Short mmCIF file of all heavy atoms in Angstrom, two decimals:
data_model
loop_
_atom_site.label_atom_id
_atom_site.label_comp_id
_atom_site.label_asym_id
_atom_site.label_seq_id
_atom_site.Cartn_x
_atom_site.Cartn_y
_atom_site.Cartn_z
N GLY L 1 105.65 90.05 100.65
CA GLY L 1 105.04 88.73 100.60
C GLY L 1 104.39 88.37 101.92
O GLY L 1 104.37 89.14 102.87
N ASN L 2 103.80 87.19 101.90
CA ASN L 2 103.03 86.75 103.09
C ASN L 2 103.89 85.92 104.03
O ASN L 2 104.61 85.08 103.64
CB ASN L 2 101.92 85.71 102.49
CG ASN L 2 101.02 85.22 103.55
OD1 ASN L 2 101.14 85.54 104.76
ND2 ASN L 2 100.02 84.54 103.20
N THR L 3 103.90 86.34 105.29
CA THR L 3 104.61 85.70 106.28
C THR L 3 103.85 84.57 107.04
O THR L 3 104.44 83.80 107.77
CB THR L 3 105.18 86.65 107.38
OG1 THR L 3 104.05 87.22 108.07
CG2 THR L 3 105.97 87.79 106.74
N GLY L 4 102.58 84.51 106.80
CA GLY L 4 101.70 83.52 107.40
C GLY L 4 101.18 83.92 108.73
O GLY L 4 100.44 83.11 109.36
N ILE L 5 101.38 85.07 109.24
CA ILE L 5 100.95 85.47 110.51
C ILE L 5 99.41 85.51 110.55
O ILE L 5 98.81 85.19 111.59
CB ILE L 5 101.61 86.78 111.05
CG1 ILE L 5 101.29 86.94 112.51
CG2 ILE L 5 101.04 87.96 110.17
CD1 ILE L 5 102.13 88.05 113.14
N GLY L 6 98.74 85.95 109.53
CA GLY L 6 97.35 86.06 109.52
C GLY L 6 96.79 84.66 109.64
O GLY L 6 95.79 84.47 110.36
N SER L 7 97.20 83.70 108.87
CA SER L 7 96.70 82.31 108.99
C SER L 7 96.99 81.70 110.38
O SER L 7 96.09 81.01 110.88
CB SER L 7 97.42 81.39 107.97
OG SER L 7 97.17 81.84 106.65
N LYS L 8 98.09 81.99 110.94
CA LYS L 8 98.32 81.55 112.32
C LYS L 8 97.39 82.07 113.32
O LYS L 8 96.95 81.35 114.23
CB LYS L 8 99.80 81.88 112.70
CG LYS L 8 100.89 81.12 111.98
CD LYS L 8 102.26 81.53 112.31
CE LYS L 8 103.30 80.97 111.36
NZ LYS L 8 104.63 81.61 111.48
N ARG L 9 97.11 83.34 113.20
CA ARG L 9 96.17 83.98 114.13
C ARG L 9 94.77 83.41 114.00
O ARG L 9 94.08 83.17 115.00
CB ARG L 9 96.16 85.48 113.96
CG ARG L 9 97.34 86.17 114.57
CD ARG L 9 97.38 87.68 114.31
NE ARG L 9 96.15 88.34 114.63
CZ ARG L 9 95.75 88.88 115.80
NH1 ARG L 9 96.62 88.76 116.83
NH2 ARG L 9 94.66 89.45 116.01
N LEU L 10 94.38 83.25 112.76
CA LEU L 10 93.04 82.69 112.49
C LEU L 10 92.92 81.31 113.07
O LEU L 10 91.93 81.01 113.66
CB LEU L 10 92.73 82.69 111.01
CG LEU L 10 91.36 82.13 110.58
CD1 LEU L 10 90.20 82.90 111.18
CD2 LEU L 10 91.23 82.07 109.00
N SER L 11 93.92 80.50 112.82
CA SER L 11 93.98 79.15 113.35
C SER L 11 93.82 79.12 114.87
O SER L 11 93.14 78.39 115.44
CB SER L 11 95.26 78.45 112.87
OG SER L 11 95.34 77.10 113.42
N ALA L 12 94.57 80.11 115.51
CA ALA L 12 94.57 80.19 117.01
C ALA L 12 93.13 80.60 117.48
O ALA L 12 92.64 80.06 118.44
CB ALA L 12 95.66 81.14 117.49
N PHE L 13 92.54 81.48 116.78
CA PHE L 13 91.19 81.93 117.15
C PHE L 13 90.10 80.83 117.01
O PHE L 13 89.28 80.53 117.94
CB PHE L 13 90.76 83.14 116.34
CG PHE L 13 91.39 84.45 116.62
CD1 PHE L 13 91.72 85.29 115.62
CD2 PHE L 13 91.87 84.68 117.90
CE1 PHE L 13 92.39 86.51 115.86
CE2 PHE L 13 92.60 85.93 118.12
CZ PHE L 13 92.85 86.81 117.11
N VAL L 14 90.23 80.04 115.92
CA VAL L 14 89.35 78.90 115.74
C VAL L 14 89.57 77.90 116.74
O VAL L 14 88.67 77.35 117.35
CB VAL L 14 89.45 78.31 114.35
CG1 VAL L 14 88.76 77.11 114.20
CG2 VAL L 14 88.97 79.34 113.29
N GLU L 15 90.83 77.63 117.11
CA GLU L 15 91.07 76.56 117.98
C GLU L 15 90.61 77.00 119.41
O GLU L 15 90.07 76.17 120.21
CB GLU L 15 92.62 76.31 118.10
CG GLU L 15 93.02 75.14 119.03
CD GLU L 15 94.47 74.76 118.89
OE1 GLU L 15 95.13 75.29 117.98
OE2 GLU L 15 94.83 73.88 119.67
N GLN L 16 90.76 78.24 119.76
CA GLN L 16 90.21 78.73 121.06
C GLN L 16 88.72 78.65 121.12
O GLN L 16 88.16 78.28 122.08
CB GLN L 16 90.67 80.25 121.21
CG GLN L 16 90.19 80.79 122.52
CD GLN L 16 90.66 82.25 122.72
OE1 GLN L 16 91.20 82.87 121.75
NE2 GLN L 16 90.42 82.88 123.79
N ALA L 17 88.02 78.93 120.00
CA ALA L 17 86.56 78.95 120.02
C ALA L 17 85.99 77.54 119.93
O ALA L 17 85.00 77.21 120.63
CB ALA L 17 86.08 79.71 118.79
N VAL L 18 86.67 76.64 119.16
CA VAL L 18 86.06 75.30 118.90
C VAL L 18 86.74 74.26 119.81
O VAL L 18 86.14 73.18 120.07
CB VAL L 18 86.21 74.95 117.38
CG1 VAL L 18 85.71 73.61 117.15
CG2 VAL L 18 85.45 75.96 116.60
N GLY L 19 88.01 74.58 120.19
CA GLY L 19 88.78 73.52 120.97
C GLY L 19 89.65 72.64 120.07
O GLY L 19 90.38 71.85 120.54
N SER L 20 89.61 72.86 118.78
CA SER L 20 90.48 72.14 117.85
C SER L 20 90.68 73.00 116.65
O SER L 20 89.83 73.74 116.27
CB SER L 20 89.76 70.84 117.44
OG SER L 20 90.51 70.17 116.52
N ASP L 21 91.78 72.80 115.94
CA ASP L 21 92.05 73.47 114.71
C ASP L 21 91.45 72.77 113.63
O ASP L 21 91.97 71.83 113.09
CB ASP L 21 93.65 73.62 114.45
CG ASP L 21 93.95 74.42 113.27
OD1 ASP L 21 92.99 74.96 112.67
OD2 ASP L 21 95.18 74.47 112.96
N ILE L 22 90.28 73.19 113.23
CA ILE L 22 89.46 72.61 112.18
C ILE L 22 89.76 73.14 110.79
O ILE L 22 89.28 72.60 109.76
CB ILE L 22 88.00 72.62 112.44
CG1 ILE L 22 87.46 74.07 112.50
CG2 ILE L 22 87.62 71.82 113.68
CD1 ILE L 22 85.98 74.14 112.62
N LEU L 23 90.49 74.28 110.65
CA LEU L 23 90.81 74.95 109.43
C LEU L 23 92.08 74.38 108.72
O LEU L 23 92.05 74.21 107.55
CB LEU L 23 90.91 76.45 109.66
CG LEU L 23 89.63 77.21 110.12
CD1 LEU L 23 90.04 78.70 110.30
CD2 LEU L 23 88.55 77.06 109.16
N PHE L 24 93.14 74.25 109.42
CA PHE L 24 94.37 74.06 108.81
C PHE L 24 95.11 72.77 109.22
O PHE L 24 96.25 72.62 109.32
CB PHE L 24 95.42 75.27 109.06
CG PHE L 24 94.83 76.55 108.62
CD1 PHE L 24 94.40 77.52 109.57
CD2 PHE L 24 94.76 76.82 107.25
CE1 PHE L 24 93.91 78.73 109.17
CE2 PHE L 24 94.28 78.08 106.88
CZ PHE L 24 93.83 79.03 107.78
N GLN L 25 94.24 71.73 109.49
CA GLN L 25 94.85 70.46 109.87
C GLN L 25 95.50 69.72 108.70
O GLN L 25 95.08 69.67 107.63
CB GLN L 25 93.79 69.58 110.50
CG GLN L 25 93.41 70.07 111.88
CD GLN L 25 92.42 69.14 112.58
OE1 GLN L 25 91.86 68.19 112.02
NE2 GLN L 25 92.12 69.46 113.76
#
């Protein structure tokens, strides 16, 4: 099953690039 690590990493990358978590708020 899915542990959610991929979503967490994607969220961290977006937050780093944009300055805010715009995907999973």
